[in-house]
């Protein structure tokens, strides 16, 4: 099958062509990060407008790059939720126009599901596994069964991990996105310098808002080097993830772990999470951790067997059952 994946949920416009027979991906991503960094975060209206301008040229360029014709596409996949609603509408409307016009099936893909299964693209792993999503908007742990049914075991009750990286960086006057900047600062810091507490230790759900405030107050106190604060913060993030994952491994008996989403680009986390857990963690490559069309095409292919196609009456939604 030739599958076209379309992603426009946040600030990356991306289209991918996946050939399931050869397991080959051709894709393009247009990031708006430089546009939004001026504002210290993603501005939804600007994101939607840029998606609307970028989607058609990117789609045409990907077809050229993949050396295929419009009619060669067998299946379309598009991010349907969650995300910025105006941004999602651009991708969904574009995909609906193409799929319905060409009389090809269309699958509305959950963005978090796509982040999780993207770990399968370059790793030899199949469900059942635990899918840990650590991104700018979400910190969710799912059990993914053999049929790709997902059961939510933990989620953040306030800030997502990436959101706390971004908010801490913003407070410190550092550019958006904060994750990579904090990671870099932490390289020259002592991770054991500050003992930030782990929130909600005895529960499955996460809370990062208290940690974020604690870190911000520590920055304000001017008592510690920013490098030490960054390193100590990252250590607590890993310790928190370890604690929650261990609890869910105990509860489910599943100890194969996939870690995905933008924050999974962080090398400190990539190295220390598996080490502290004492288990292999399957990460997508960094290119596939941030938002991309490849994961949408791959997820659509995996969901194809469920035959849950997008109907004419359906459209994008910002929140769905998957998150609850
Ligand atoms: O998955 P993603 O591209 O978009 C969402 O769906 O949210 O994730 C973006 C998030 C941002 O919060 C960004 O700061 C974070 O991923 N991020 C990182 C790193 N690279 C990106 N966080 C920590 N360390 C990094 N190296
Ligand atoms: Zn994402």
């Amino acid at each position: 099958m030739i599958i076209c994946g379309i992603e426009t949920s946040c600030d990356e416009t991306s289209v991918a062509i996946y050939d399931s027979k050869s397991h080959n991906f051709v894709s393009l991503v247009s990031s708006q990060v430089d546009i939004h960094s001026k504002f210290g975060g993603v501005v939804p209206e600007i994101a939607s407008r840029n998606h609307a301008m970028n989607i058609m040229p990117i789609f045409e360029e990907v077809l050229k790059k993949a050396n295929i014709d419009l009619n060669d596409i067998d299946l379309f996949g598009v991010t349907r939720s969650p995300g910025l609603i105006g941004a999602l509408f651009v991708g969904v409307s574009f995909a609906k126009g193409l799929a319905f016009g060409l009389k090809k099936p269309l699958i509305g893909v959950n963005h978090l599901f796509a982040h999780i299964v993207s770990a399968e693209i370059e790793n030899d792993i199949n469900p059942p596994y635990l899918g840990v999503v650590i991104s700018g908007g979400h910190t969710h742990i799912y059990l993914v069964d053999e049929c790709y049914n997902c059961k939510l075991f933990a989620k953040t009750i306030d800030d997502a991990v990436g959101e706390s990286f971004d908010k801490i960086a913003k407070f410190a006057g550092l550019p958006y996105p904060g994750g990579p900047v904090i990671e870099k600062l932490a390289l020259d810091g002592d991770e054991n310098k500050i003992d930030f507490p782990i929130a909600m230790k005895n529960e499955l759900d996460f809370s990062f808002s208290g940690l974020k405030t604690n870190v911000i107050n520590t920055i304000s106190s001017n008592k510690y080097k920013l490098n030490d604060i960054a390193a100590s913060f990252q250590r607590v993030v890993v310790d928190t993830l370890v604690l929650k994952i261990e609890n869910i491994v105990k509860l489910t008996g599943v100890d194969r772990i996939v870690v995905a989403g933008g924050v999974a680009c962080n090398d400190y986390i990539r190295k220390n999470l598996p080490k502290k857990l004492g288990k292999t963690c399957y990460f997508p490559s960094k290119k596939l951790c941030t938002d991309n069309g490849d994961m949408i095409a791959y997820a659509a292919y995996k969901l194809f067997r469920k035959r849950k196609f997008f109907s004419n009456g359906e459209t994008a939604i910002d929140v769905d059952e998957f998150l609850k």
Side-chain angles (χ1 to χ4, degrees):
M1 271 185 119
I2 303 286
I3 304 108
C4 173
I6 297 167
E7 157 66 35
T8 64
S9 68
C10 192
D11 58 344
E12 259 103 30
T13 319
S14 181
V15 180
I17 300 294
Y18 171 46
D19 183 339
S20 65
K21 203 168 163 196
S22 60
H23 196 59
N24 186 45
F25 288 83
V26 176
S27 62
L28 282 172
V29 183
S30 162
S31 176
Q32 305 173 21
V33 72
D34 294 341
I35 300 169
H36 296 283
S37 66
K38 290 188 206 99
F39 303 97
V42 179
V43 183
E45 177 67 18
I46 296 176
S48 310
R49 283 166 189 265
N50 280 285
H51 286 309
M53 284 192 296
N54 293 335
I55 188 91
M56 189 66 188
I58 289 180
F59 176 71
E60 286 183 328
E61 216 178 311
V62 164
L63 287 191
K64 236 188 260 162
K65 217 175 141 195
N67 201 19
I68 61 161
D69 182 72
L70 200 56
N71 289 298
D72 295 330
I73 300 169
D74 301 304
L75 171 70
F76 287 88
V78 65
T79 307
R80 185 197 183 205
S81 66
L84 304 170
I85 193 69
L88 289 166
F89 275 144
V90 176
V92 168
S93 309
F94 187 76
K96 276 175 82 172
L98 278 170
F100 297 164
L102 292 164
K103 297 194 170 39
K104 296 289 168 71
L106 169 64
I107 292 182
V109 175
N110 179 285
H111 183 84
L112 270 57
F113 176 77
H115 267 308
I116 294 169
V117 296
S118 74
E120 294 180 15
I121 294 176
E122 298 152 318
N123 291 301
D124 189 14
I125 177 145
N126 292 304
Y129 51 65
L130 296 183
V132 181
V133 184
I134 43 175
S135 73
H138 302 93
T139 307
H140 282 47
I141 305 181
Y142 293 89
L143 169 63
V144 183
D145 75 13
E146 288 88 343
C147 302
Y148 290 95
N149 297 315
C150 300
K151 186 164 184 246
L152 179 63
F153 274 85
K155 62 177 189 302
T156 178
I157 61 157
D158 41 54
D159 290 339
V161 184
E163 194 177 356
S164 54
F165 271 93
D166 295 337
K167 287 179 175 170
I168 290 166
K170 193 172 182 178
F171 181 83
L174 302 166
Y176 172 86
V181 194
I182 292 193
E183 178 179 6
K184 203 159 166 229
L185 277 173
L187 289 175
D188 299 317
D190 174 0
E191 66 179 56
N192 295 311
K193 192 83 185 175
I194 310 157
D195 196 15
F196 294 121
I198 297 176
M200 307 217 311
K201 258 188 166 160
N202 300 318
E203 292 173 51
L204 293 181
D205 280 342
F206 295 93
S207 167
F208 286 104
S209 161
L211 174 62
K212 172 200 67 188
T213 308
N214 211 322
V215 171
I216 286 177
N217 290 341
T218 309
I219 297 172
S220 300
S221 74
N222 285 322
K223 278 203 272 187
Y224 296 95
K225 277 191 345 196
L226 204 49
N227 305 76
D228 293 339
I229 299 174
S232 303
F233 163 68
Q234 282 195 153
R235 181 192 41 81
V236 178
V237 165
V238 168
D239 290 347
T240 308
L241 289 167
V242 167
L243 192 81
K244 306 287 173 173
I245 294 170
E246 275 175 347
N247 286 341
I248 297 169
V249 167
K250 258 186 232 145
L251 209 66
T252 58
V254 174
D255 70 348
R256 287 139 52 87
I257 297 146
V258 155
V259 187
V263 182
C265 287
N266 184 296
D267 277 322
Y268 177 85
I269 296 174
R270 292 173 88 91
K271 184 170 156 220
N272 288 283
L273 184 60
K275 206 160 115 189
K276 286 193 171 172
L277 274 170
K279 296 184 195 314
T280 309
C281 291
Y282 297 87
F283 290 88
S285 62
K286 289 188 189 182
K287 184 178 145 265
L288 290 179
C289 281
T290 47
D291 294 346
N292 61 84
D294 307 48
M295 68 181 190
I296 306 302
Y298 185 75
Y301 177 62
K302 289 286 152 186
L303 294 172
F304 180 67
R305 71 178 79 166
K306 291 185 189 268
R307 292 276 193 274
K308 269 199 180 166
F309 300 123
F310 219 61
S311 74
N312 205 358
E314 283 178 279
T315 188
I317 44 171
D318 49 359
V319 178
D320 65 17
E321 287 303 312
F322 198 81
L323 295 170
K324 291 176 191 157

